[in-house]
Amino acid sequence: MAPFFLKQYVKGHANDVFEAYSQLLTEMVLRLPYQMKKIADASPKTVPSPNFDQVWFFYLCEYMMTQQTPFVRKQVRKLLLFICGSKERYRQLRDLYVLESNLKEVKALCEQGGHNAAKQVASDELSKNKSVRSVSLPYDSLITLIEHLKACEEIATSRTLNWQRYCEKDETVLPFLINVSYLLDEGVSSIILRLLQCALCPVSSLATQIQQPLATKQPLAETSEGQLTSKNRSKKPDNASTSDGAANSSLRLADEGDRQCFDVVDQVNRYVDWNVLCCFVRAFLFESNQSSVRWQAHSLIHSIFVHSAPSHQEALLELMWRLWPKLPSYVCKAAQFVDLLGYFVIRVPPSEQKAQEYVDRACTLLRDQNRILAYHSNAALYTAIQGLVEFDGYYLESEPCLVCNDPEVPFANTKLSSLKMDSCFTTTTQIVKLIGSHVISKIVLRIGDLKRSKMVRTVVIHYNNRSVQAVVELKNKPAMWHRARR
């Protein structure tokens, strides 16, 4: 049957060689242009080179993304890599297509949730000091949205330069992500903030990001390509030529990432409205209950400030001072905001008039808060008790301040047996009823009895928040369950 059918294919389809006709035809269509390109490159003077236009890249990338054609993925990867000429160009082209496809779906889902209407009311909600999370999606759509964002996050974290190049190419991506970050559910915000970090923050700072105030951070040594400080030069061995090459390539990547940071930050300054940025600062530096999210927003605002022109730095400083009067409503949650404001004031020396205005604002706020404490109905009683015993807190209040409490509880590894109240089994399912409500970050599954004939191929995790007397009531009712992860 050669050369039309391979020997291995004929053995597998002895009864009917055309049984997998569509698969066979697709494979042949992919092999032909590869052979044509290979022959043309081998003898360019006699055989003209085939022309692969943009449509070829589109369909090959589609084959790489779709889950319905795993049988041709190897041939598609081989042909696409051969057309691109290098692995770097191949990864860049594939990543750009994956990012474009996933973000297109993200925008479509946000439109279904009312993103345009939410943008119009954001400024009004900000002036009324209300929450501005206005894009509401059904659970299934929200899960689909998270999957698309995680696909983008995987590329952004592993190949950050490709993500920055895409953001630089499409000038609508970053304004959209900044705007939608505070309009979506809080569980999605951390993924969007991570995408914004990879686009706006230098690659070197992403690898060694530490959650600490700007005042305590040590300044980075300023080195140029191919240069070392005197301290490092003295420690450099004589036979380190290989490590020098790796270091130089890392410096080149870091320099390219820094240059692109200036370009993408310039996009933010040109296309993001200051009211939108004000909503972003308030949502993530004030209202977020998670310190990790506040530190993510802290690094983003800091990077925007550092990579902006002096005029935009002054505008950002003025925006922060506009939010200064809201500080008493958020108390300890505003620590990152105060750290940024202090850093901005030092980096942008204001005029004498502006400096006096800033001092008056700060002193007025502190004076008002001290007056409230001094004239509090229980102030004298607290002062008398503190002279007798040591205590930290205001235990005599009938209406305690909920903002002062720290709602964050760290995650802890717990065995399922200690949380299990009841369980039941089917042939393919285990249903477990927990003692109470829990926030689950990850699940670690250990399989001890390994058998080649009976092995788990796929684990699908579902959850249900319904309260029932017995777990049997939820058995064989798939419509009542929500899929968490596969």
Side-chain angles (χ1 to χ4, degrees), residues 276-330:
V276 172
L277 196 60
C278 193
C279 292
F280 179 88
V281 171
R282 199 195 70 171
F284 296 115
L285 287 179
F286 280 158
E287 295 180 351
S288 178
N289 289 324
Q290 302 179 23
S291 61
S292 60
V293 172
R294 295 198 298 271
W295 280 113
Q296 280 183 299
H298 176 279
S299 66
L300 275 172
I301 300 300
H302 172 253
S303 182
I304 292 175
F305 178 85
V306 169
H307 297 93
S308 296
S311 59
H312 290 107
Q313 290 181 348
E314 294 177 2
L316 185 57
L317 177 61
E318 187 62 31
L319 182 145
M320 301 288 280
W321 277 112
R322 278 172 49 193
L323 294 173
W324 173 257
K326 302 181 183 297
L327 200 67
S329 302
Y330 301 99

Side-chain angles (χ1 to χ4, degrees), residues 424 426 429 431 462-464 466 468 470-482:
C424 67
T426 66
T429 308
I431 304 176
H462 293 77
Y463 74 92
N464 195 325
R466 293 178 180 270
V468 293
V471 72
V472 183
E473 299 179 22
L474 299 174
K475 187 177 179 181
N476 297 326
K477 295 181 180 179
M480 300 175 66
W481 292 87
H482 301 294

